[in-house]
């Protein structure tokens, strides 16, 4: 690694009334005071980025009625805990609650239920009596009285959750677990399927952001990878591109110090392919500018090799090499994590080393994810 160094406002009348009452409740005042006047006291220890359901996402598309969604999430940093919910692609408000985290009751402005407005986010009070340890697995149970209508969700977290006991790898509405105990780097990773964890087994916590967090004690790492996601273009299934979702998914996170961008391979290999390196580099520069304006450090990862993948061509390989060469100069990002160098086959640099390939030519296996985590220099995250 080298370095140089918002939304529709559909609100029911009942929702507005509940919010007004909650704002004056003792719990609301306690929640305000819990921040100690410092925005950075809270950091996101676990996170996921949302997309809208498509026709094949039957549960998210139909929504839930009188159901309990149970999420099992692996934290990075520990400390006091609060939850964040989001409904980025919603069209109607959703009633959330009762909720428990680690078996403890969760409140919103002192109340056990709260309305999550369409297109908005909802943050809980600090969970009374709950202090999570670093790398803890936290169970969050969310009752959704419904009917909710279509739900904003993350399709595949490569971890097991459930709806009324039925297993799912999707996460509905829950977007973050925030804590107070981070004392190392606080990092958001904006990425695609490689960041999301494709190529690693479910429930193993071997995605490279997980492995990065374990390398950096006290760090908080938010995994904002979406399978199929691009830098430049939006997609109905794979969500808004990195530029379109940057403000919501990255800049909204509390206590953030650094954003690490690992996007670009889908711009090349998904039709319509982006074959102009200048367009991708311009997209990177816009993210860097927005990060710096928010006081964040921007680290960029080179695009990993993908010969062997079904849509690889020599022409796209040339585009990848040109983009990576420009990123390595250090004139695009504040620092660079050379993921290409970490994974490539020294005898055939256009493909992954066989020891790191999950078998499809594009996604690394757990050993490859470990190599990516090792390619990130702690000094460039502070």
């Amino acid at each position: 690694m080298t370095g140089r160094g918002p939304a529709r406002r559909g609100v029911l009348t009942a929702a507005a009334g509940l919010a007004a009452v909650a704002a004056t409740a003792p719990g609301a005042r306690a929640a305000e005071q819990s921040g100690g006047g410092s925005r950075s006291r809270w950091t996101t220890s676990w996170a996921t980025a949302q997309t809208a359901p498509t026709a094949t996402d039957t549960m998210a598309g139909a929504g839930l009625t009188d159901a309990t969604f149970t999420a099992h999430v692996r934290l990075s940093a520990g400390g006091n805990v609060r939850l964040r919910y989001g409904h980025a692609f919603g069209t109607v408000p959703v009633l959330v609650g009762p909720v428990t985290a680690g078996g403890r009751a969760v409140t919103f402005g002192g109340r056990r239920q709260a309305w999550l407005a369409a297109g908005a986010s909802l943050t809980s009070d600090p969970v009374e009596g709950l202090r999570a340890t670093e790398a803890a697995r936290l169970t969050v149970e969310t009752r959704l009285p419904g009917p909710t209508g279509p739900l904003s969700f993350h399709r595949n977290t490569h971890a097991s959750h459930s709806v009324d006991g039925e297993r799912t790898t999707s996460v509905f509405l829950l977007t973050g677990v925030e804590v107070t105990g981070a004392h190392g780097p606080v990092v958001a990773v904006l990425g695609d399927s490689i960041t999301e964890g494709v190529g690693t087994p479910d429930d193993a916590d071997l995605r490279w952001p997980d492995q990065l967090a374990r390398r950096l004690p006290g760090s908080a790492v938010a995994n904002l990878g979406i399978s199929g996601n691009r830098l430049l273009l939006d997609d109905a299934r794979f969500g808004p591109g990195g530029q379109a979702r940057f403000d919501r998914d990255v800049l909204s996170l509390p206590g953030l110090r650094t954003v690490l961008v690992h996007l670009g391979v889908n711009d090349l290999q998904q039709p319509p392919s982006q074959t102009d390196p200048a367009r991708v580099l311009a997209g990177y520069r816009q993210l860097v500018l927005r990060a710096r304006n928010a006081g964040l450090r921007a680290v960029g990862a080179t695009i990993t090799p993908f010969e062997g993948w079904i849509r690889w061509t020599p022409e796209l390989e040339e585009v990848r090499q040109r983009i990576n060469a420009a990123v390595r100069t250090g004139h695009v990002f504040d620092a660079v994590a050379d993921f290409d160098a970490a994974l490539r086959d020294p005898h055939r640099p256009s493909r992954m080393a066989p020891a790191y390939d999950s078998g499809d030519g594009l996604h690394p296996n757990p050993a490859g994810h470990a190599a990516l985590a090792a390619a990130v220099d702690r000094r460039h995250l502070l």
Side-chain angles (χ1 to χ4, degrees):
M1 179 169 173
T2 58
R4 281 188 62 204
R8 180 172 174 175
R9 298 184 182 179
V11 180
L12 298 178
T13 302
L18 179 59
V21 172
T24 60
R29 291 191 294 271
E32 292 171 1
Q33 294 167 1
S34 69
S38 172
R39 186 168 63 98
S40 63
R41 180 173 185 258
W42 291 97
T43 59
T44 301
S45 181
W46 172 90
T48 194
Q50 294 184 328
T51 59
T54 63
T56 60
D57 302 307
T58 54
M59 186 178 291
L64 299 174
T65 299
D66 196 24
T68 297
F69 167 60
T70 302
H72 305 284
V73 301
R74 176 71 71 180
L75 305 183
S76 45
N80 298 329
V81 172
R82 69 183 186 187
L83 308 180
R84 185 200 287 212
Y85 292 83
H87 201 9
F89 302 93
T91 58
V92 296
V94 174
L95 183 61
V96 175
V99 177
T100 63
R104 304 275 183 167
V106 176
T107 59
F108 304 86
R111 302 277 181 153
R112 292 300 311 279
Q113 290 182 309
W115 287 96
L116 171 58
S121 64
L122 174 69
T123 301
S124 79
D125 303 328
V127 182
E128 188 173 352
L130 177 61
R131 185 170 179 84
T133 58
E134 188 173 312
R137 186 177 293 276
L138 180 69
T139 297
V140 178
E141 294 186 337
T142 303
R143 190 71 178 172
L144 297 173
T148 63
L151 291 169
S152 305
F153 80 132
H154 187 99
R155 186 171 290 108
N156 187 2
T157 62
H158 304 278
S160 296
H161 316 288
S162 65
V163 175
D164 289 341
E166 179 183 348
R167 183 183 182 272
T168 178
T169 58
S170 298
V171 166
F172 305 95
L173 298 183
L174 183 66
T175 59
V177 178
E178 300 172 359
V179 300
T180 58
H183 54 83
V186 180
V187 185
V189 183
L190 187 70
D192 49 34
S193 58
I194 297 175
T195 295
E196 185 192 69
V198 174
T200 66
D202 289 353
D203 302 314
D205 301 316
L206 293 175
R207 299 160 291 237
W208 73 260
D210 298 323
Q211 300 199 52
L212 175 63
R214 287 195 289 273
R215 283 187 53 234
L216 306 174
S219 64
V221 180
N223 185 336
L224 304 174
I226 299 177
S227 185
N229 202 233
R230 300 184 188 223
L231 172 69
L232 301 177
L233 297 183
D234 301 344
D235 185 273
R237 181 168 180 81
F238 304 133
Q243 289 187 309
R245 67 186 180 98
F246 190 76
D247 290 13
R248 179 183 65 244
D249 289 350
V250 176
L251 298 187
S252 66
L253 300 182
L256 191 62
R257 298 179 191 172
T258 304
V259 56
L260 196 160
V261 179
H262 186 213
L263 289 170
V265 70
N266 291 323
D267 295 80
L268 273 58
Q269 65 89 19
Q270 284 180 185
S273 294
Q274 177 54 253
T275 57
D276 182 358
R279 291 284 301 277
V280 175
L281 293 168
Y284 287 156
R285 290 188 176 98
Q286 282 298 307
L287 294 187
V288 172
L289 178 62
R290 288 155 70 184
R292 289 173 178 167
N293 286 344
L296 304 181
R297 186 170 176 78
V299 178
T302 50
I303 300 174
T304 50
F306 65 102
E307 183 182 357
W309 179 247
I310 54 175
R311 287 190 285 270
W312 181 89
T313 67
E315 292 75 20
L316 293 180
E317 175 64 18
E318 181 181 354
V319 177
R320 185 182 76 90
Q321 293 289 358
R322 290 172 63 186
I323 293 170
N324 285 349
V327 169
R328 287 191 185 99
T329 65
H331 298 299
V332 179
F333 293 95
D334 296 318
V336 178
D338 200 341
F339 283 7
D340 172 43
L343 292 188
R344 68 191 177 205
D345 185 340
H347 306 293
R348 191 164 182 168
S350 56
R351 71 178 184 185
M352 257 187 286
Y356 294 150
D357 191 349
S358 68
D360 63 12
L362 176 63
H363 301 101
N365 60 21
H369 279 259
L372 295 181
V376 180
D377 191 328
R378 176 189 176 97
R379 294 171 298 174
H380 297 147
L381 302 179
L382 299 175

